[in-house]
Amino acid sequence: MGVVIWLLGVVLTLGAAVVGPAEGAKNHHYDFFIKEANYTRLCHEKAILTVNGQFPGPTIFARKGDVVVVNVYNQGNKNITIHWHGVDQPRNPWYDGPEYITQCPIQPGANLTYTIVLSKEEGTLWWHAHSDYDRTTIHGAIVIHPKLGTTFPFKKPHKEIPVILSEWWNADVNSLLEEARRTGGEVSISDANTINGQPGDLFPCSPKGTFKAPVESGKTYLLRIINAGLANDLFFGVAGHRLTVVGTDARYTKPFTVDHIFISPGQTVDALLEADRATNDARAGTPDFPNLPAINDLNASLEYTELLRSLGSKDHPVDVQTHVDEHMLITLAVNVVPCEMGNGTCEGPEGHRIAASLNNISFHLPSVDILDAYYGVVRGVYEADFPNKPPFAFNFTDDISNLPTERWFTKRGTKVKVLEYGTVVEVVFQDTAILGAENHPMHLHGFAFYVVGRGIGNFNETTDPAAYNLIDPPFQNTVTVPKAGWAAIRFRAANPGELFLAFGSITSAPKYKHF
């Protein structure tokens, strides 16, 4: 049995069939109606796409091993798909959600029933649109409780509070995306960050709508924190309180207590909050704010991620692969391609069109979904020659002024890599300074992986693996590659169907690549 990995494309495996639910599992049913609704933020009203008129959308509740069935009815004005972020979907890739990768989009007036198979996930995940920039308003939480008869590996909290961090644009974000595609420039940054859809006290016309969570003194609360934003790595804290992190990406961690967390787009964090602040310490009517690092404080982000360790208990064991069958070094870059605008010039550097690449290949979205093309043997949709390393080696993190302009350019393509079923893969993601170094959140569909190493500068294949954590590394589905640095992950390709890699940027809108 083989596994096909789409690098800047998708990943598939042969012989895929829907896996049955775990013994004792239950089915849960939800109806999602995609439709426009008017919302006012920052003194500005606009129509946005929503699920069931809600922003953020409804929370899905289930237990470990359950199956969730979601009927999606597209009553909007554009194509749509929904992705269940962090759900492995064992042998069930057709319902993963990315458009033209595992499915064709749901057209206006049409509907599709998704089957979401929960297996080993336990904790907080989320769902979101996976078409254009619809994810900015079409998203919600997935709460996965322990199986009946089991419990949390920590004291049961008094209450659970979903905290969805996201962004708001006053303009229509898909119009901004289309303009960027036309001109070759960047998408404008958002007008505000939001918590559960609200900008908060510091923004105009916002104080009355600020999200508030009443707590009772002496009680413990489980915050289920999700970064649903497109582009912003975030620090999050609660004034006057510390947070005890107990999980990330629906996998438990060894508990550790911090003043703030660091969370990248796509990631989730489960954190306990003790409501232990003296009531006379609060100033009635005056908002209080936590003391957070600057958003570009790389050292603070690295100090936090260094604390992440898998729980490694009897009920939640660690199984790090120590033997690697396939090594890959994948460079991440912001590049350019020729403008191709006739007599005009594009708005990217030196009049070119902005692109982004993995190993100097920029993903070209096909018109037929790759999963069906693979199983239907449809030729011409993809090429099975994604490289294990970049086409040329240089000082990847060197100052941009020292890089020749020919390094700026990339080529478009839809590439795949074929792996044998069961292959153990190590991927080292290497940031580059081409057109500027920056953080990159990397999300792998269909799998969680162990983050065995991370560092600043160029990865050294001789010395850096000696410092890998092969005892209790965090088990995640989204990893942050630090600015001008690298991150190493390991996983076993044992989920027939697909791997799909999403690649984001902290300083501009995400550039999706596929794995």
Side-chain angles (χ1 to χ4, degrees):
M1 182 179 291
V3 179
V4 180
I5 295 192
W6 260 248
L7 281 233
L8 285 83
V10 91
V11 174
L12 294 140
T13 56
L14 301 178
V18 176
V19 69
E23 184 178 352
K26 291 185 177 181
N27 283 12
H28 305 265
H29 295 267
Y30 291 84
D31 290 325
F32 278 15
F33 294 92
I34 308 295
K35 56 185 179 181
E36 284 193 342
N38 288 336
Y39 274 78
T40 300
R41 298 289 186 270
L42 308 181
C43 314
H44 176 80
E45 182 180 13
K46 71 171 184 177
I48 62 173
L49 279 178
T50 67
V51 168
N52 301 346
Q54 301 175 42
F55 170 61
T59 298
I60 290 175
F61 293 94
R63 291 188 179 273
K64 183 178 181 179
D66 287 352
V67 173
V68 179
V69 178
V70 181
N71 302 305
V72 178
Y73 302 88
N74 188 359
Q75 298 177 352
N77 57 6
K78 67 184 299 296
N79 293 345
I80 206 79
T81 66
I82 304 292
H83 169 54
W84 319 98
H85 193 106
V87 178
D88 290 349
Q89 290 281 45
R91 298 179 183 174
N92 191 32
W94 291 272
Y95 298 114
D96 189 48
E99 67 172 351
Y100 295 114
I101 306 300
T102 60
Q103 68 169 93
C104 290
I106 309 168
Q107 297 180 353
N111 66 283
L112 177 68
T113 299
Y114 286 92
T115 300
I116 305 153
V117 180
L118 302 174
S119 53
K120 298 180 180 180
E121 306 87 356
E122 186 175 324
T124 306
L125 295 174
W126 64 299
W127 58 265
H128 60 84
H130 211 297
S131 42
D132 295 332
Y133 276 9
D134 303 313
R135 147 179 168 178
T136 56
T137 56
I138 298 179
H139 59 250
I142 302 175
V143 173
I144 307 168
H145 286 116
K147 289 182 178 180
L148 287 174
T150 67
T151 188
F152 299 113
F154 47 83
K155 183 179 177 181
K156 184 178 179 180
H158 174 66
K159 186 178 180 181
E160 301 175 22
I161 304 173
V163 178
I164 301 179
L165 311 176
S166 190
E167 301 172 76
W168 175 267
W169 280 260
N170 283 330
D172 179 81
V173 69
N174 278 315
S175 296
L176 295 176
L177 175 61
E178 288 303 315
E179 179 66 9
R181 287 171 173 167
R182 185 186 69 81
T183 64
E186 295 189 71
V187 176
S188 301
I189 63 173
S190 58
D191 295 289
N193 290 323
T194 60
I195 298 178
N196 289 344
Q198 295 289 347
D201 297 78
L202 297 182
F203 290 90
C205 305
S206 299
K208 289 184 178 180
T210 298
F211 172 72
K212 300 178 179 67
V215 298
E216 186 177 341
S217 180
K219 300 293 187 181
T220 300
Y221 297 82
L222 175 58
L223 305 185
R224 297 185 176 274
I225 307 164
I226 300 165
N227 187 341
L230 284 180
N232 295 333
D233 290 332
L234 298 170
F235 291 100
F236 174 86
V238 178
H241 297 78
R242 305 195 80 199
L243 300 174
T244 299
V245 176
V246 293
T248 179
D249 289 359
R251 263 69 177 194
Y252 292 118
T253 63
K254 289 181 171 64
F256 61 94
T257 302
V258 289
D259 293 324
H260 55 260
I261 67 164
F262 173 76
I263 184 168
S264 290
Q267 291 182 330
T268 70
V269 172
D270 289 338
L272 298 174
L273 181 146
E274 296 278 351
D276 56 2
R277 185 176 183 179
T279 55
N280 60 6
D281 191 31
R283 294 167 293 169
T286 302
D288 202 359
F289 299 98
N291 184 21
L292 298 177
I295 191 62
N296 61 350
D297 190 333
L298 180 59
N299 289 333
S301 66
L302 291 173
E303 288 171 4
Y304 172 83
T305 54
E306 181 65 24
L307 297 173
L308 293 170
R309 295 285 188 274
S310 287
L311 180 59
S313 67
K314 179 182 176 181
D315 294 329
H316 305 281
V318 177
D319 183 23
V320 186
Q321 300 84 12
T322 56
H323 172 76
V324 175
D325 302 309
E326 190 91 16
H327 290 267
M328 303 184 71
L329 173 66
I330 300 180
T331 52
L332 319 174
V334 179
N335 304 90
V336 295
V337 293
C339 183
E340 299 176 351
M341 281 188 64
N343 295 328
T345 59
C346 291
E347 294 182 0
E350 302 295 328
H352 301 298
R353 180 178 295 275
I354 286 180
S357 70
L358 303 181
N359 281 353
N360 208 42
I361 303 167
S362 186
F363 177 60
H364 174 72
L365 192 70
S367 58
V368 176
D369 72 276
I370 298 174
L371 190 64
D372 281 336
Y374 175 75
Y375 284 108
V377 196
V378 180
R379 301 187 182 278
V381 177
Y382 61 85
E383 298 173 289
D385 61 351
F386 186 90
N388 276 3
K389 59 183 180 180
F392 40 80
F394 59 100
N395 185 352
F396 298 122
T397 57
D398 196 11
D399 186 271
I400 183 175
S401 62
N402 296 325
L403 295 176
T405 55
E406 57 262 29
R407 292 281 189 263
W408 294 10
F409 287 87
T410 184
K411 294 181 179 179
R412 298 193 186 278
T414 305
K415 305 288 187 177
V416 309
K417 180 177 177 61
V418 180
L419 294 172
E420 289 299 318
Y421 179 85
T423 298
V424 175
V425 185
E426 177 178 303
V427 181
V428 176
F429 297 112
Q430 173 70 62
D431 183 34
T432 68
I434 298 174
L435 300 184
E438 52 189 53
N439 290 5
H440 299 283
M442 308 298 294
H443 169 57
L444 187 61
H445 291 225
F447 289 86
F449 47 76
Y450 288 104
V451 183
V452 296
R454 198 184 326 244
I456 299 299
N458 297 320
F459 175 73
N460 187 312
E461 64 180 6
T462 301
T463 59
D464 284 329
Y468 280 178
N469 176 7
L470 301 180
I471 305 301
D472 58 356
F475 200 43
Q476 300 180 274
N477 61 64
T478 304
V479 61
T480 301
V481 181
K483 178 180 179 180
W486 57 272
I489 68 171
R490 286 187 183 179
F491 64 93
R492 186 183 302 276
N495 180 13
E498 56 85 31
L499 290 77
F500 172 88
L501 183 69
F503 159 34
S505 158
I506 189 173
T507 57
S508 58
K511 300 94 176 173
Y512 289 105
K513 304 293 170 284
H514 315 290
F515 189 43

